[in-house]
Amino acid sequence: MKDDALIDTNIIDVLKRIESVSDNKARVYLLTPPEYYCPTKKASLGNYVTFYCVSEACSTAGYGVTQQATKALIHINTPLRWEADCGGMFNLLYGLEILSLIPPAITDGDTDKEGSGLEQQRAIRAVERAAIRCRLKRQEKGYPFRRARRVLRKKFQKELSYEVE
């Protein structure tokens, strides 16, 4: 979890509900709000705990990963190629299911990223990182087809605007 994360009081209940899921699916449960989500594809874990399918994993200040997803990530990313927060690529290229909690249990306390040393380091290498990701995508079989399918799917997704209080 990031050091500037703002944690909701229901976090313990949310984590217990994630832990109790026994469907043996390779899922990443984002506890943060998504930019876009699919309102029709969801996983309800009871009461107010509803996760929605997302295609991108942005601003991942906190998340839970199932054991099956952990095994898949180790297999996918050995040797190390993708950054840990490249959830969109893990979903697009390898079918890893990424779900985001709405309303979120964790929000980013540094939305403008001015106080983040991590963001400052990322900015320095942004062009280099983008070139590496682009090269890796081109090496993946079926990437252009999967990318086109995602662009079409995004037309049916809903944009989420969240204000941090």
Side-chain angles (χ1 to χ4, degrees), residues 20-62:
S20 71
V21 174
S22 61
D23 59 10
N24 291 327
K25 291 186 180 181
R27 287 182 168 165
V28 175
Y29 293 95
L30 302 177
L31 304 173
T32 54
E35 289 182 22
Y36 294 91
Y37 71 100
C38 183
T40 58
K41 292 181 77 177
K42 60 185 176 181
S44 180
L45 305 185
N47 290 344
Y48 55 87
V49 182
T50 303
F51 286 87
Y52 292 85
C53 281
V54 296
S55 54
E56 292 292 334
C58 302
S59 300
T60 54

